[in-house]
Amino acid sequence: MKFKLPFNKKQTPIVIQATKENVEMIIPEENNFTQMIKDATHNPSDLIVKSIPPNLTLIYIKNLVNDQILNDHIITNLQNKIYETPETIKLSLSLPEVNISSQLEETVASLVNGSVLIYVEGYSPVVLANIPKRESRSLSAPENESQVIGAQVGFNESLSTNISLVRRNIVSPDLCNEEFKVGKRSNTSLSLIYMNGIASDEMVNTLRQRIKDLDVDALLDSAVLVEMIDDNSLSPFPQMLLTERPDRFCDGLLNGKLGVIVDGSSMAIVCPQSFIEFFESREDKNLRWQVATFVRLLRFTAIFLSIFLTPIYVGALTFHYEVIPQAFLVPLSESRALVPFPPVFEALLLEFIIELLREAGARLPTKIGQTIGIVGGIVIGTAAVQAGITSNILLIIVALSALASFTTPSYTMGNVIRLIRFPIIILAGFWGFFGIMLAFCFILIHLLRQTSLGAPYMAPFYPPRFQDMRDSLIRMPLPYTAKRPSNVRPADEDKFNPEPIKPEKS
């Protein structure tokens, strides 16, 4: 195809021949080149065109380039000097990334990514000096994955900063980093990171192909990418882990998993991920195995209570009075004496109020949000009991269920637990304990059918892998966890040699 630019009667037409291989720019005059770049970028207000006598022109977008490097290393070096060719300019600039291009598409793409175009009058190739300015916040402690023992630094929104955090934790030449551009309009950079010699080549190729096959306008966050490359995007259960902790990210890489970091997002992706691993914390590995096992069992118990405690209350009061201890029937009946609603409506109303308070507290500023959550819960709960809208026993149960849901280390999995509680309560109101068992069987069958990057989602319980169970519900002592998880199909199964650290027999 051909692109034609406006020209005067005294000038010859300027034609850019475009082929599949390259785009040659035939630009005999400075004004025509400048107009071409303005047309390609729709002449934004922050596009700067600066002439440097006698034969140079600089074009850049003001808000995207580093002003100090521009003044100290480019303008100062080019002033009052005559350069005959773009190649001599490239050699004279002491910058890490300087290229020469004759392609219009590549030139414009480089311009909007923070490059300065240096045009030598009469030459078609243009010098591209990449000096981007990336605004990012300073490193801080993770807000959603806090821990007492361990590193206290989290990812931020800068891709280069996040990769440097990973390389600081894993100082190895086997750490592979593949960069991709996703989004026809956003042109977002992302990095696929894995350990060569540990990660499965099949999984690397699968994830690489899924990223390459993406055809979207924009990619603004890693959470959006997860939904696009999931094995089953219709499932409410996450199949890939979103983490803001570099240590947890690196731990996954060293176990043979793959990682993806998206520019502009403070959450990194780790995959494949099993269901049980969403309830494990990185801090578990920093604690003694007895304490870590106790904390994990406490966490799993809390998750069970969060999902089924309220439905069991609804089912028992609606259909199964016989399961309630006789000593408990009198205070329970007195508590519900003034409540005009059936148990299922009462439970749904309270759960809705709790979720409303939780969402309002999360969206408001920190100090106000904490006040709303605490004061609002106390005031509304007390007023609801005194008004006879709900019983004080159900209020305790719902509050306990909400508190137990916060023990989930993964925010995305915590949201799923909040969601599935509502249909289970409804089924318990219609069919009692039979409805609860129906919901449990449906969820279990759904989980057994899921995969994460082709790996079984319910590993190590389905298919059963007894060796991997040493670091699932319980955490065995360190010498017994020397093998990497088999569900990721690692090329190297051994993490370390357990023999030197096994206790000596007396």
Side-chain angles (χ1 to χ4, degrees), residues 192 203 206-208 210-211 222-233 235-243 248 257-260 267-275 277-278 410-413 416 450-455 457:
L192 169 62
M203 287 190 173
T206 300
L207 186 55
R208 183 189 295 127
R210 289 185 186 182
I211 295 174
S222 55
V224 180
L225 177 64
V226 164
E227 190 172 355
M228 292 178 180
I229 61 178
D230 263 346
D231 289 29
N232 182 10
S233 59
S235 172
F237 292 92
Q239 294 119 55
M240 298 183 181
L241 175 68
L242 285 171
T243 179
R248 190 172 189 181
K257 298 183 181 182
L258 315 181
V260 179
M267 305 292 287
I269 304 170
V270 180
C271 59
Q273 191 80 355
S274 65
F275 175 76
E277 289 175 326
F278 282 97
S410 172
Y411 179 76
T412 53
M413 183 60 75
V416 175
Q450 301 308 305
T451 58
S452 176
L453 208 64
Y457 192 55

Side-chain angles (χ1 to χ4, degrees), residues 331-352:
L332 186 61
S333 58
E334 291 177 352
S335 173
R336 284 194 45 81
L338 299 177
V339 179
F341 306 116
V344 60
F345 182 81
E346 179 190 4
L348 289 175
L349 178 62
L350 264 186
E351 289 285 354
F352 176 76

